Structure formats: structure tokens, C-alpha cells
């Protein structure tokens, strides 16, 4: 018999898959139960409301993203970090050419956070991890004022990813765009 935390995690994973496949409107208790392989009663036992389901799913996603992006940021601490390594990290962030629910779900969740103030703190936490990675990369590339430009770089990545998801444009477009951005940004002044 599965442990309660395993059942809860199965439900959260199912919610994220459903959101990525068909959007938040498709998240129903029956669909979650079927997707998670649990009883309908398990869904309502673990999550009393739709808001709680979405909130916990977003928090789980944020925890995973924060862990992933913090690890990437830590890996960008090499003194020899160069534009080639930056391009590799950006390509890794862009997720290759996959157009699966994992790449679509974040956009759905962030739009929902825009509609629901109670989800915004979790979304802000995730964007802080994105900003940290961007700051580390920009710092190692010698870009002036990397903390100020990190949010712009993150916004550019999100815009390019959304465009890629909507149009099927290759991930290389995102890498090229960021590389162009670094060539137009003044290098840090050395004393």
C-alpha cells in the first residue's frame, strides 16, 4: 500500500502533467485521480480545494526549479567560465527541442499566479533562482552590473521560450539571442 506522501506526490505530478498537456481548466478531480492512478477520494482527502491543488503543484514545481537552477548557478562559479560554457548552460535551460508538458506547465502556472495573489510568492521564489543563475553567468562573462541585467536576461529567456513553444522555433534561437545580448552589453570595468 502506498504511503500518504507518495500518493500526495503522485497527485501533484499528475496535476503538473495535466496542466502542461491541457491547461489549468482541465484540472478536475476525476482526471487527476485517473492520471495519478489513485481513487477520487484520495484527491479530495489530500487536497480540499482546487486552489490548494494548484498552490501545492506550483510550490513543488518551484522547489524543483529552484534546486535545479541553484545547482546550475553553483556550477557557473568556475573562474575560467567563458561564452562557450554560457551557451551550453543556456541551451540546457532552453531544454533542447522538447515540447512536452514539463516545458509548458510553468507558463500556465505563472499565468495563474498572475490571477491569484496567493500563488505569487511561490512564483517570485522561482524567479529569484532564475535571476541568480543569470547573475552568475553575466558576472563570469564580465558584463557590467549583472544584478541589474539579470531580470532582463531572464525575461528574454522566458519570451524566447514562449515564442519557441508557440511557434516551434529551435532552441538555438534562444542561445543566439543571448549571445548577441552579451556582445552589446558593456563589459565590467576593471580598476
Amino acid at each position: 500500500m502506498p504511503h500518504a506522501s507518495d500518493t500526495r506526490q503522485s497527485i501533484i505530478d499528475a496535476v503538473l502533467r495535466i496542466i502542461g498537456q491541457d491547461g489549468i481548466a482541465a484540472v478536475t478531480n476525476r482526471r487527476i485521480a485517473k492520471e495519478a492512478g489513485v481513487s477520487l477520494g484520495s484527491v479530495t482527502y489530500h487536497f480540499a480545494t482546487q486552489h490548494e491543488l494548484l498552490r501545492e503543484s506550483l510550490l513543488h514545481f518551484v522547489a524543483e526549479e529552484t534546486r535545479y537552477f541553484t545547482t546550475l548557478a553553483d556550477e557557473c562559479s568556475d573562474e575560467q567560465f567563458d561564452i562557450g560554457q554560457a551557451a551550453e548552460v543556456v541551451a540546457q535551460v532552453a531544454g533542447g527541442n522538447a515540447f512536452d508538458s514539463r516545458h509548458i506547465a510553468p507558463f500556465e502556472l505563472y499565468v495563474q499566479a498572475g490571477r491569484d495573489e496567493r500563488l505569487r510568492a511561490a512564483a517570485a521564489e522561482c524567479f529569484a533562482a532564475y535571476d541568480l543563475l543569470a547573475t552568475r553567468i553575466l558576472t563570469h562573462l564580465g558584463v557590467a552590473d549583472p544584478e541589474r541585467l539579470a531580470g532582463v536576461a531572464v525575461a528574454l529567456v522566458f519570451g524566447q521560450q514562449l515564442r519557441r513553444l508557440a511557434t516551434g522555433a529551435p532552441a538555438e534561437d534562444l542561445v543566439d539571442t543571448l549571445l548577441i545580448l552579451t556582445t552589446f552589453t558593456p563589459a565590467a570595468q576593471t580598476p
Side-chain angles (χ1 to χ4, degrees):
M1 178 162 212
H3 192 270
S5 64
D6 294 338
T7 301
R8 188 174 176 84
Q9 187 59 52
S10 294
I11 292 168
I12 288 172
D13 292 341
V15 168
L16 290 171
R17 282 192 304 275
I18 293 166
I19 290 171
Q21 292 166 359
D22 297 315
I24 289 176
V27 176
T28 66
N29 287 355
R30 287 191 191 289
R31 174 120 184 241
I32 295 165
K34 182 178 178 187
E35 183 83 22
V38 300
S39 71
L40 184 58
S42 289
V43 175
T44 56
Y45 172 78
H46 287 282
F47 300 97
T49 66
Q50 190 81 356
H51 173 264
E52 186 183 350
L53 261 170
L54 292 175
R55 182 180 174 281
E56 290 301 314
S57 297
L58 178 59
L59 289 173
H60 172 73
F61 171 79
V62 165
E64 292 294 311
E65 283 285 275
T66 301
R67 191 171 16 264
Y68 174 68
F69 279 90
T70 301
T71 299
L72 278 178
D74 290 345
E75 291 171 3
C76 294
S77 60
D78 179 10
E79 292 299 321
Q80 304 301 317
F81 192 81
D82 62 14
I83 195 79
Q85 289 169 305
E88 287 176 25
V89 171
V90 170
Q92 189 175 352
V93 168
N97 293 316
F99 292 102
D100 58 14
S101 62
R102 170 114 174 95
H103 291 87
I104 296 170
F107 291 99
E108 294 276 349
L109 288 166
Y110 292 139
V111 168
Q112 187 65 25
R115 292 183 184 117
D116 186 343
E117 279 185 40
R118 298 170 294 184
L119 300 176
R120 288 188 188 149
E125 182 181 329
C126 200
F127 275 94
Y130 298 152
D131 289 350
L132 174 64
L133 176 60
T135 299
R136 294 257 175 97
I137 290 172
L138 294 171
T139 298
H140 286 297
L141 293 178
V143 173
D145 206 0
E147 292 86 7
R148 185 176 66 87
L149 294 176
V152 173
V154 169
L156 177 63
V157 169
F158 262 78
Q160 282 292 98
Q161 283 185 313
L162 184 58
R163 181 182 184 141
R164 186 172 73 89
L165 289 169
T167 66
E172 292 79 26
D173 287 356
L174 173 60
V175 175
D176 291 345
T177 301
L178 287 175
L179 293 177
I180 289 168
L181 176 68
T182 61
T183 61
F184 288 114
T185 306
Q189 301 296 319
T190 52

